[in-house]
Amino acid sequence: MQKSILIIYTGGTIGMITTPDKNSLTPFNFEEIRKHVPEIEKYGHKFSAYTIHPAVDSSNIKPESWIKIAELIEKTYDEYDGFIVLHGTDTMSFSASALSFMLEGLGKPVIFTGSQLPVTSLRTDARENLIAAIEIAAAEKDGAPLIPEVCIYFEFKLLRGNRCTKYSAEDFNAFISPNYPALAESGVRLKYHLHRVQKLAKDKQFKVHTKLDNNIAILKIFPGISEHVLDAVLGTKGLKAIILETFGAGNAPTDSWFFEKINAANEAGVVFLNISQCSEGSVEMGRYETSEHLIKAGVASGFDSTPEAAITKLMFLLGQELPPSEIKLLLNKSMNGEITIS
Ligand code: ASP
């Protein structure tokens, strides 16, 4: 059945060309991509394309870019059956995570994809990624979309957007979803694992949130971290939340200065969220003595969150201007399948 699909182009390697004078890659335009993947027309779907200007290397993606994408999806939501976001791989998992929170009650597929090699390159991975992403964005069963979620399709795998991390700058297989299995895999056929896909809440209205607050910091703990480093972060003007990237199951040094400073900042209204430096597994505060003081200091658990999901969830929650106590309650809940709460 013919579907209508909006392809949103934000930039990234997929559409980059070599700038002759500099010999470096810069984003080009969507028409070039379309010219190089003429096969997509064979699906018989109705495609429209929209470029978020300016097309950028995704290292230049900002919350403002996410707002533009969210507003575009909101404006065109009734016109299209599915959305594809062509995006650079460097920050794709941040953007997919952010959009998963901003598009509340999403009932249609929003599939991010891109490539490690430009579409103009002979060995490009862009072709397979784009073609499969289109097939997924158009997939339906009994008239309902199969994947009403924000996802990343890359190198034969469909992953939940807010569970992904870019882990390879080298391999075509650039993304992992360490704590949640793939929603679909592409082989001879596209094999969907529908029991892993979020269920469409019938009563939930589609609502787009465009307020994000970036007054947050992420502090990676390391053996020997000094008091001055913590002071510098805590002294950041306007800071409302800090993600502590801790060891193992959420452990950190037990020095009294570390506890006292975090405790005082927490009492002053700063939200602390504990995520692990390990990509696999979950924070479990209280399992070791080295995390008990964090509970006492009011630090919330980030469970098995990726850093990308933790950062964008906090930006989203702070953007709602909720009091710290309510933000902590929501950090303890899975809003869109971003954490596993057992
Ligand atoms: N630097 C590029 C970007 O993220 C890398 C890529 O697209 O793979 O935009």
Side-chain angles (χ1 to χ4, degrees), residues 182-247:
L183 306 186
E185 278 146 305
S186 171
V188 175
R189 285 179 305 120
L190 261 168
K191 191 166 161 207
Y192 291 96
H193 304 291
L194 292 180
H195 58 289
R196 298 174 186 161
V197 177
Q198 303 238 71
K199 298 282 160 292
L200 247 182
K202 293 256 170 348
D203 51 332
K204 211 154 190 202
Q205 282 292 318
F206 178 56
K207 188 167 175 220
V208 175
H209 299 268
T210 52
K211 285 207 185 106
L212 298 168
D213 187 334
N214 66 349
N215 281 303
I216 63 175
I218 181 157
L219 178 62
K220 189 168 188 147
I221 309 298
F222 56 91
I225 187 168
S226 86
E227 220 170 318
H228 305 304
V229 171
L230 184 58
D231 284 341
V233 177
L234 291 175
T236 309
K237 200 166 161 241
L239 195 73
K240 295 181 185 155
I242 300 181
I243 296 166
L244 297 174
E245 230 186 66
T246 58
F247 308 124

Side-chain angles (χ1 to χ4, degrees), residues 220-340:
K220 189 168 188 147
I221 309 298
F222 56 91
I225 187 168
S226 86
E227 220 170 318
H228 305 304
V229 171
L230 184 58
D231 284 341
V233 177
L234 291 175
T236 309
K237 200 166 161 241
L239 195 73
K240 295 181 185 155
I242 300 181
I243 296 166
L244 297 174
E245 230 186 66
T246 58
F247 308 124
N251 309 314
T254 52
D255 304 74
S256 54
W257 59 264
F258 189 80
F259 166 77
E260 277 153 21
K261 284 173 198 275
I262 291 178
N263 193 38
N266 171 61
E267 275 170 12
V270 176
V271 174
F272 286 89
L273 180 64
N274 184 0
I275 64 167
S276 174
Q277 291 175 20
C278 302
S279 0
E280 231 169 61
S282 184
V283 161
E284 218 183 302
M285 288 198 289
R287 181 160 143 207
Y288 291 90
E289 191 211 340
T290 45
S291 61
E292 272 176 353
H293 60 313
L294 299 178
I295 304 178
K296 283 195 204 114
V299 176
S301 173
F303 298 91
D304 55 353
S305 179
T306 59
E308 292 90 326
I311 289 171
T312 55
K313 185 172 178 177
L314 270 173
M315 282 192 189
F316 170 78
L317 292 175
L318 290 170
Q320 311 309 300
E321 293 176 24
L322 303 168
S325 56
E326 225 166 294
I327 292 182
K328 281 189 196 168
L329 280 181
L330 290 165
L331 287 172
N332 268 305
K333 287 195 178 134
S334 163
M335 293 179 66
N336 251 315
E338 73 281 5
I339 47 176
T340 313

Side-chain angles (χ1 to χ4, degrees), residues 11-131:
T13 297
I14 190 164
M16 282 183 180
I17 48 156
T18 311
T19 328
D21 52 332
K22 290 196 286 181
N23 212 20
S24 58
L25 288 168
T26 42
F28 195 45
N29 64 36
F30 176 72
E31 277 322 304
E32 193 64 15
I33 299 176
R34 200 167 185 154
K35 217 168 70 197
H36 281 84
V37 196
E39 304 92 306
I40 64 172
E41 309 299 341
K42 289 192 187 152
Y43 275 123
H45 299 315
K46 208 174 119 249
F47 294 110
S48 306
Y50 184 95
T51 300
I52 302 282
H53 286 289
V56 289
D57 181 300
S58 76
S59 300
N60 277 319
I61 286 281
K62 311 251 174 342
E64 295 81 68
S65 326
W66 302 334
I67 294 170
K68 281 186 193 166
I69 300 171
E71 285 176 342
L72 177 63
I73 293 177
E74 180 177 36
K75 215 167 72 198
T76 58
Y77 194 69
D78 294 334
E79 276 173 65
Y80 296 99
D81 299 299
F83 300 84
I84 289 180
V85 184
L86 297 180
H87 196 290
T89 58
D90 288 349
T91 62
M92 192 187 290
S93 45
F94 286 89
S95 299
S97 295
L99 266 294
S100 79
F101 300 117
M102 294 165 82
L103 306 177
E104 189 186 335
L106 180 69
K108 298 185 179 185
V110 174
I111 313 295
F112 278 72
T113 196
S115 63
Q116 292 278 60
L117 284 176
V119 73
T120 47
S121 153
L122 264 183
R123 292 179 51 251
T124 188
D125 49 334
R127 196 167 293 115
E128 200 282 325
N129 286 347
L130 178 59
I131 290 173

